[in-house]
Amino acid sequence: MLSPISGTLVELGEVPDPAFAEKQMGDGIAIQPDEGKVYAPFDAVVAHVMEKSKHAVILEHASGVQVLIHVGIDTVSLKGEGFALSVRTGDQVKAGQLLIEFDPETIRRAGLSTLTPVIIPNGIEGVLDLNITSSGNVTAAADRIMKVSHAVANHA
């Protein structure tokens, strides 16, 4: 999985929200963004986008693996201010395609963190292992941040 955002990788345990820090929602990594753009980390279907708040998107890979990209912490409270969606639920997207644009200053002025969790949600059938890059700077749509090992179910 390529990085959806350019910035600095931060371990989930450092995210100032227990739902993410304690991996209650799933495992992954967070990114401190350098810019306000979120890109598709792989070819996918947009499984869900938060239409009103515009702060998060769930993508589904052809294998069935999903990823949640959640821009900032408690940013749902902004009710979409400072966010612009480029996709809708059900859209097909290609790796590197723009998904969300956001204004980091709007988030910071509201006293919120721009730290962006990238999570493989709990309960996805067939996820065997996550190999997560835990530190460093990453470039969106260029640098790999995690590899998901997945067993493909046999539907015969």
Side-chain angles (χ1 to χ4, degrees):
M1 177 184 312
L2 299 177
S3 181
I5 297 178
S6 294
T8 305
L9 294 176
V10 176
E11 292 196 21
L12 275 186
E14 296 179 36
V15 174
D17 181 325
F20 293 112
E22 297 170 9
K23 301 181 183 179
Q24 296 170 11
M25 300 175 70
D27 202 356
I29 192 81
I31 302 169
Q32 185 61 60
D34 288 341
E35 64 177 3
K37 294 183 179 183
V38 178
Y39 300 92
F42 48 76
D43 294 352
V45 172
V46 178
H48 188 72
V49 66
M50 310 314 176
E51 296 280 347
K52 290 182 180 177
S53 58
K54 304 174 187 164
H55 75 290
V57 62
I58 298 172
L59 302 178
E60 185 168 325
H61 186 269
S63 67
V65 173
Q66 293 184 342
V67 63
L68 165 65
I69 305 166
H70 188 285
V71 178
I73 303 303
D74 295 328
T75 48
V76 67
S77 65
L78 295 174
K79 299 178 181 160
E81 181 185 347
F83 291 85
L85 293 174
S86 298
V87 294
R88 296 179 130 344
T89 300
D91 286 356
Q92 295 273 347
V93 295
K94 295 286 184 193
Q97 183 175 334
L98 183 65
L99 303 174
I100 301 171
E101 289 184 272
F102 63 95
D103 179 16
E105 280 307 306
T106 298
I107 295 170
R108 285 193 278 272
R109 274 196 309 272
L112 303 173
S113 171
T114 58
L115 198 57
T116 299
V118 180
I119 304 291
I120 304 298
N122 290 330
I124 304 234
E125 192 172 319
V127 172
L128 303 174
D129 187 41
L130 293 180
N131 183 348
I132 300 168
T133 304
S134 60
S135 65
N137 293 324
V138 290
T139 300
D143 294 327
R144 187 187 333 212
I145 59 167
M146 74 177 83
K147 182 177 181 182
V148 180
S149 298
H150 184 261
V152 179
N154 184 356
H155 297 289

